[in-house]
Structures are given as C-alpha cells and as structure tokens.
Amino acid sequence: QVQLVESGGGSVQTGGSLLISCAASVYLYSTYCMAWFRQAPGKEREGVAFITSGGITTYADSVKGRFTISRDNAKNTLHLQMSSLKPEDTAMYYCAARLNDGVCLRNRETTDFRSWGQGTQVTVSS
C-alpha cells in the first residue's frame, strides 16, 4: 500500500515556472519507479515524466527541455520543475508509483502504474 500526496500547484502566466512535489508514504521508496502524469478536462491521462529507482529519466516530447523530474530518496519525495509553461500544460498533475523499474524504462502507460496521488492543479494563462 502506497500513499502519495502532491503539492505546489497553482496559477502562472505563459512562460512562467512552477515546482510541484509529491510526498510518498511507502516502504522502500528508493526502489520504486516514480512518475508524473497529467489530465486536462475531456482528455485522457498522459505520462509527463518518469524516473527510475536509479535516477534514469524519461520525458514526453511535449515537455522535453522544459520540465525536470527529480527525486530525493532520503526524504521520500518526488519533484517536477516546470519552466517555459504554456496554456496547453494546464491540467491536474498526478504523482504515480510502481515497484518495477521496467515501467519507467519501457512501458510508461497509465495502466502500468498501481498507486496514485490525489492530484494538484496547474493552470497556465496567456
């Protein structure tokens, strides 16, 4: 059983930056594949950024070069630094976890993750 709690969402203008975080209450957090997903109204949830237990990162093409995912295993936290934000980045952002690095490395689909946070809203205005 994993508990994930996101924080840091808010409103920002186009071109701005925002840092969102996820606190994980889980045994052996350092062994988990962790990810950020997002979902806009009327759209399917999509993967944004992924990081393996060893720190290998993968990004969706839409955010590559603008977002940075990181983790602090000593503090059981996950972060997503978002820069050069665009209106199309507006969505509810979710933290996700799976005890399988292969998911971060290869699969990276919504259905591949077993644990989810409640989400934090990010709104980008023009």
Side-chain angles (χ1 to χ4, degrees):
Q1 188 172 341
V2 179
Q3 184 173 15
L4 306 171
V5 181
E6 301 94 335
S7 63
S11 298
V12 64
Q13 291 187 318
T14 297
S17 299
L18 201 64
L19 173 68
I20 56 175
S21 301
C22 172
S25 295
V26 58
Y27 68 95
L28 300 177
Y29 168 76
S30 63
T31 67
Y32 277 74
C33 156
M34 300 295 297
W36 287 101
F37 283 75
R38 67 186 181 186
Q39 186 168 24
K43 299 183 66 177
E44 293 186 345
R45 192 168 299 187
E46 62 176 348
V48 174
F50 306 81
I51 184 167
T52 70
S53 60
I56 300 173
T57 59
T58 305
Y59 299 90
D61 289 341
S62 59
V63 307
K64 208 174 191 67
R66 300 188 297 120
F67 291 10
T68 300
I69 187 172
S70 62
R71 66 193 297 162
D72 187 336
N73 290 334
K75 297 182 178 180
N76 282 26
T77 54
L78 179 74
H79 307 280
L80 185 67
Q81 177 63 59
M82 302 179 287
S83 300
S84 300
L85 285 162
K86 307 173 182 179
E88 49 263 47
D89 293 319
T90 295
M92 184 72 74
Y93 283 72
Y94 298 91
C95 175
R98 176 74 184 274
L99 189 59
N100 185 341
D101 272 345
V103 173
C104 275
L105 293 169
R106 297 183 298 276
N107 306 102
R108 300 190 290 271
E109 300 293 333
T110 301
T111 54
D112 294 317
F113 287 81
R114 304 290 175 81
S115 303
W116 298 87
Q118 83 290 346
T120 187
Q121 179 67 39
V122 172
T123 302
V124 184
S125 60
S126 299

